[in-house]
Amino acid sequence: MIPLCIPQMSGNEWKYIKDCLDTNWVSSVGSYVDKFENDFARYLESKAAIVTMNGTAALELALRTVGVGEGDEVIVSSFTFISPVNTIKYVGANPVFVDVCRDTWVMDEDKIEELITSKTKAILPVHIYGNPVNMDKIMDIARKYKLFVIEDATESLGAIYKGKKSGAIGDIGCFSFNGNKLITTGAGGMLVTNDKDLAKRAKYLSTQTKTVLENGAFYHEEIGYNFRMPNVLAAMGCAQLEKVEEYVKVKLEHSTEYNNLLKSVKGINIPTQKDDTINVNWLYSILVEEDFPLTRDELINKLKENGIQSRPFFMPIHNMPPYIDCKHGDMSVTNSIGVKGINLPSSVELNKENIKKICKVIKEC
Ligand SMILES: *Cc1c(COP(=O)(O)O)cnc(C)c1O
């Protein structure tokens, strides 16, 4: 079976984790936590980075850090993994769903302004499947209405928008190191920001708002959270991060190969890459149009029969029971791509022969 997306352990993972076990620094403070934060901030060209126990925690922490709370509204795509939408609810706020672009499948910046009200506090763009959102437009809107921008960059590590790393453009960017992401710590996340005050506040909230008094006692001025990542996982993160540039290069080779083999197949739409951006194609994805001989689900079965794992696109969140009553604009693109899209195998370890085999099965339909 060619799997959808599995991690690769080919660097210093064992060595650094062993170091934690040998020295007994296994828990939530330690040199690898500091190193992972510093190395990640440097890679992102961002001023600060704060580790969290997963990407969802990073998103919740981001919302709490900028002060989104009870009754506020946050504008978010409905075409996304559900995590960012859930975190809006965790802090007592309400998601307001905006449609996505027909070509890039990310938040449609032209449909945002009509959804802004006096309750709107933030915009939460998701760089879906590794394709950057049009951040210039989003930042302009945010400035005009004094809103925060929290980037869900969990799928776009390595993607570039106008020379900047995806995730390092908004007020805060959030990353995930779940097992299927470009680099992994098993479970883990990171919050990045260029604002020193937001960085300080995020670290404070994520570590139980702990102030250590002169006599060593813990004092807490407000309610805090334990969103920390243990040193032993940060060690794995340091090793994975050493490979990130190599992984990004391989991913771009894979998407070029996929694009070349699929671009002339009738009824298949390949991913778009806008000028001035690099789509890292975290999950290389296609749309199955009406003039393709098989339906989307039939193609998924056909791939499965040939030992190839694939997955249908995220279903629109605004149609899911917990969110059915939430405010949204015109959702025509979200509704249509949700039933057409497929994620194809996208592991770093994939080789050209695998990609040829996958594309051959699709062509032969
Ligand atoms: C993976 C992912 C997350 C965070 O996932 P965790 O499992 O909590 O690390 C958030 N948003 C999107 C779009 C994702 O794909």
Side-chain angles (χ1 to χ4, degrees), residues 54-56 59 80-81 83-84 126 152 154-155 176 178 181 188:
N54 55 53
T56 307
L59 286 159
T80 174
F81 180 55
S83 164
V126 182
D152 182 336
T154 50
E155 301 187 354
S176 164
N178 187 45
K181 298 288 155 68

PDB file of all heavy atoms in Angstrom, residues 54-56 59 80-81 83-84 126 152 154-155 176 178 181 188, ligand 1:
ATOM      1  N   ASN A  54       0.114  20.519  20.865  1.00  0.00           N
ATOM      2  CA  ASN A  54      -0.342  20.170  19.514  1.00  0.00           C
ATOM      3  C   ASN A  54      -0.741  21.452  18.779  1.00  0.00           C
ATOM      4  O   ASN A  54      -0.714  22.538  19.369  1.00  0.00           O
ATOM      5  CB  ASN A  54      -1.487  19.127  19.540  1.00  0.00           C
ATOM      6  CG  ASN A  54      -2.649  19.573  20.396  1.00  0.00           C
ATOM      7  OD1 ASN A  54      -3.190  20.655  20.223  1.00  0.00           O
ATOM      8  ND2 ASN A  54      -3.038  18.726  21.344  1.00  0.00           N
ATOM      9  N   GLY A  55      -1.125  21.299  17.536  1.00  0.00           N
ATOM     10  CA  GLY A  55      -1.483  22.471  16.732  1.00  0.00           C
ATOM     11  C   GLY A  55      -2.772  23.124  17.210  1.00  0.00           C
ATOM     12  O   GLY A  55      -2.919  24.351  17.157  1.00  0.00           O
ATOM     13  N   THR A  56      -3.698  22.307  17.673  1.00  0.00           N
ATOM     14  CA  THR A  56      -4.960  22.831  18.183  1.00  0.00           C
ATOM     15  C   THR A  56      -4.704  23.723  19.403  1.00  0.00           C
ATOM     16  O   THR A  56      -5.292  24.801  19.531  1.00  0.00           O
ATOM     17  CB  THR A  56      -5.905  21.666  18.553  1.00  0.00           C
ATOM     18  OG1 THR A  56      -6.009  20.791  17.422  1.00  0.00           O
ATOM     19  CG2 THR A  56      -7.283  22.151  18.949  1.00  0.00           C
ATOM     20  N   LEU A  59      -3.429  27.077  18.332  1.00  0.00           N
ATOM     21  CA  LEU A  59      -4.514  27.947  17.843  1.00  0.00           C
ATOM     22  C   LEU A  59      -5.333  28.516  18.996  1.00  0.00           C
ATOM     23  O   LEU A  59      -5.666  29.703  19.016  1.00  0.00           O
ATOM     24  CB  LEU A  59      -5.418  27.162  16.879  1.00  0.00           C
ATOM     25  CG  LEU A  59      -4.804  26.898  15.499  1.00  0.00           C
ATOM     26  CD1 LEU A  59      -5.482  25.721  14.809  1.00  0.00           C
ATOM     27  CD2 LEU A  59      -4.887  28.148  14.635  1.00  0.00           C
ATOM     28  N   THR A  80     -11.800  23.440   5.758  1.00  0.00           N
ATOM     29  CA  THR A  80     -10.605  23.258   6.585  1.00  0.00           C
ATOM     30  C   THR A  80     -10.772  22.013   7.440  1.00  0.00           C
ATOM     31  O   THR A  80     -11.896  21.530   7.620  1.00  0.00           O
ATOM     32  CB  THR A  80     -10.380  24.478   7.510  1.00  0.00           C
ATOM     33  OG1 THR A  80      -9.281  24.200   8.407  1.00  0.00           O
ATOM     34  CG2 THR A  80     -11.599  24.783   8.380  1.00  0.00           C
ATOM     35  N   PHE A  81      -9.658  21.514   7.981  1.00  0.00           N
ATOM     36  CA  PHE A  81      -9.750  20.575   9.090  1.00  0.00           C
ATOM     37  C   PHE A  81     -10.428  21.347  10.233  1.00  0.00           C
ATOM     38  O   PHE A  81     -10.246  22.552  10.369  1.00  0.00           O
ATOM     39  CB  PHE A  81      -8.346  20.097   9.490  1.00  0.00           C
ATOM     40  CG  PHE A  81      -8.352  19.115  10.629  1.00  0.00           C
ATOM     41  CD1 PHE A  81      -9.100  17.948  10.564  1.00  0.00           C
ATOM     42  CD2 PHE A  81      -7.607  19.361  11.780  1.00  0.00           C
ATOM     43  CE1 PHE A  81      -9.108  17.054  11.624  1.00  0.00           C
ATOM     44  CE2 PHE A  81      -7.610  18.464  12.839  1.00  0.00           C
ATOM     45  CZ  PHE A  81      -8.364  17.311  12.755  1.00  0.00           C
ATOM     46  N   SER A  83     -10.165  21.712  13.386  1.00  0.00           N
ATOM     47  CA  SER A  83      -9.449  22.221  14.554  1.00  0.00           C
ATOM     48  C   SER A  83      -9.550  23.743  14.789  1.00  0.00           C
ATOM     49  O   SER A  83      -9.941  24.173  15.888  1.00  0.00           O
ATOM     50  CB  SER A  83      -7.990  21.767  14.460  1.00  0.00           C
ATOM     51  OG  SER A  83      -7.172  22.488  15.307  1.00  0.00           O
ATOM     52  N   PRO A  84      -9.226  24.605  13.810  1.00  0.00           N
ATOM     53  CA  PRO A  84      -9.296  26.049  14.105  1.00  0.00           C
ATOM     54  C   PRO A  84     -10.704  26.509  14.470  1.00  0.00           C
ATOM     55  O   PRO A  84     -10.866  27.411  15.295  1.00  0.00           O
ATOM     56  CB  PRO A  84      -8.812  26.712  12.813  1.00  0.00           C
ATOM     57  CG  PRO A  84      -8.950  25.675  11.752  1.00  0.00           C
ATOM     58  CD  PRO A  84      -8.778  24.348  12.427  1.00  0.00           C
ATOM     59  N   VAL A 126      -6.602  29.871   6.806  1.00  0.00           N
ATOM     60  CA  VAL A 126      -5.990  28.536   6.830  1.00  0.00           C
ATOM     61  C   VAL A 126      -5.315  28.311   5.474  1.00  0.00           C
ATOM     62  O   VAL A 126      -5.976  28.379   4.441  1.00  0.00           O
ATOM     63  CB  VAL A 126      -7.065  27.444   7.063  1.00  0.00           C
ATOM     64  CG1 VAL A 126      -6.416  26.065   7.137  1.00  0.00           C
ATOM     65  CG2 VAL A 126      -7.883  27.722   8.317  1.00  0.00           C
ATOM     66  N   ASP A 152      -3.449  29.952  10.402  1.00  0.00           N
ATOM     67  CA  ASP A 152      -3.339  28.504  10.612  1.00  0.00           C
ATOM     68  C   ASP A 152      -2.402  27.986   9.528  1.00  0.00           C
ATOM     69  O   ASP A 152      -2.810  27.737   8.395  1.00  0.00           O
ATOM     70  CB  ASP A 152      -4.716  27.834  10.535  1.00  0.00           C
ATOM     71  CG  ASP A 152      -4.622  26.326  10.798  1.00  0.00           C
ATOM     72  OD1 ASP A 152      -3.532  25.773  10.576  1.00  0.00           O
ATOM     73  OD2 ASP A 152      -5.635  25.721  11.212  1.00  0.00           O
ATOM     74  N   THR A 154      -0.614  25.269   9.870  1.00  0.00           N
ATOM     75  CA  THR A 154      -0.332  23.870  10.227  1.00  0.00           C
ATOM     76  C   THR A 154      -0.054  23.004   9.006  1.00  0.00           C
ATOM     77  O   THR A 154       0.603  21.978   9.121  1.00  0.00           O
ATOM     78  CB  THR A 154      -1.526  23.265  10.985  1.00  0.00           C
ATOM     79  OG1 THR A 154      -2.711  23.534  10.226  1.00  0.00           O
ATOM     80  CG2 THR A 154      -1.677  23.845  12.368  1.00  0.00           C
ATOM     81  N   GLU A 155      -0.577  23.413   7.834  1.00  0.00           N
ATOM     82  CA  GLU A 155      -0.388  22.594   6.632  1.00  0.00           C
ATOM     83  C   GLU A 155       0.615  23.231   5.678  1.00  0.00           C
ATOM     84  O   GLU A 155       0.855  22.709   4.595  1.00  0.00           O
ATOM     85  CB  GLU A 155      -1.741  22.402   5.920  1.00  0.00           C
ATOM     86  CG  GLU A 155      -2.767  21.734   6.823  1.00  0.00           C
ATOM     87  CD  GLU A 155      -4.065  21.368   6.105  1.00  0.00           C
ATOM     88  OE1 GLU A 155      -4.229  21.737   4.931  1.00  0.00           O
ATOM     89  OE2 GLU A 155      -4.913  20.715   6.746  1.00  0.00           O
ATOM     90  N   SER A 176       1.568  22.719  13.375  1.00  0.00           N
ATOM     91  CA  SER A 176       1.303  21.419  14.004  1.00  0.00           C
ATOM     92  C   SER A 176       2.426  20.456  13.647  1.00  0.00           C
ATOM     93  O   SER A 176       2.938  20.491  12.525  1.00  0.00           O
ATOM     94  CB  SER A 176      -0.024  20.858  13.487  1.00  0.00           C
ATOM     95  OG  SER A 176      -0.119  19.474  13.778  1.00  0.00           O
ATOM     96  N   ASN A 178       1.873  17.078  14.189  1.00  0.00           N
ATOM     97  CA  ASN A 178       1.202  15.785  14.196  1.00  0.00           C
ATOM     98  C   ASN A 178       1.930  14.859  13.209  1.00  0.00           C
ATOM     99  O   ASN A 178       2.657  15.331  12.339  1.00  0.00           O
ATOM    100  CB  ASN A 178      -0.263  16.007  13.780  1.00  0.00           C
ATOM    101  CG  ASN A 178      -1.080  14.746  13.932  1.00  0.00           C
ATOM    102  OD1 ASN A 178      -0.986  14.066  14.945  1.00  0.00           O
ATOM    103  ND2 ASN A 178      -1.866  14.411  12.917  1.00  0.00           N
ATOM    104  N   LYS A 181       2.084  15.652   9.386  1.00  0.00           N
ATOM    105  CA  LYS A 181       2.551  16.966   8.910  1.00  0.00           C
ATOM    106  C   LYS A 181       3.982  16.865   8.371  1.00  0.00           C
ATOM    107  O   LYS A 181       4.631  15.835   8.522  1.00  0.00           O
ATOM    108  CB  LYS A 181       2.449  17.988  10.046  1.00  0.00           C
ATOM    109  CG  LYS A 181       0.999  18.181  10.526  1.00  0.00           C
ATOM    110  CD  LYS A 181       0.135  18.949   9.524  1.00  0.00           C
ATOM    111  CE  LYS A 181      -1.343  18.689   9.615  1.00  0.00           C
ATOM    112  NZ  LYS A 181      -2.046  19.147  10.779  1.00  0.00           N
ATOM    113  N   GLY A 188       2.435  17.714  18.582  1.00  0.00           N
ATOM    114  CA  GLY A 188       3.111  18.941  18.987  1.00  0.00           C
ATOM    115  C   GLY A 188       2.634  20.110  18.171  1.00  0.00           C
ATOM    116  O   GLY A 188       1.927  19.935  17.169  1.00  0.00           O
TER     117      GLY A 188
HETATM  118  C1  LIG B   1      -3.320  19.395  11.523  1.00  0.00           C
HETATM  119  C2  LIG B   1      -4.120  20.613  11.566  1.00  0.00           C
HETATM  120  C3  LIG B   1      -4.309  21.340  12.772  1.00  0.00           C
HETATM  121  C4  LIG B   1      -3.760  20.971  14.116  1.00  0.00           C
HETATM  122  O1  LIG B   1      -3.730  19.662  14.376  1.00  0.00           O
HETATM  123  P1  LIG B   1      -3.183  18.986  15.730  1.00  0.00           P
HETATM  124  O2  LIG B   1      -3.537  17.553  15.482  1.00  0.00           O
HETATM  125  O3  LIG B   1      -3.916  19.568  16.871  1.00  0.00           O
HETATM  126  O4  LIG B   1      -1.707  19.188  15.835  1.00  0.00           O
HETATM  127  C5  LIG B   1      -5.018  22.528  12.689  1.00  0.00           C
HETATM  128  N1  LIG B   1      -5.517  22.980  11.530  1.00  0.00           N
HETATM  129  C6  LIG B   1      -5.352  22.324  10.364  1.00  0.00           C
HETATM  130  C7  LIG B   1      -5.890  22.928   9.100  1.00  0.00           C
HETATM  131  C8  LIG B   1      -4.672  21.096  10.336  1.00  0.00           C
HETATM  132  O5  LIG B   1      -4.537  20.442   9.186  1.00  0.00           O
END
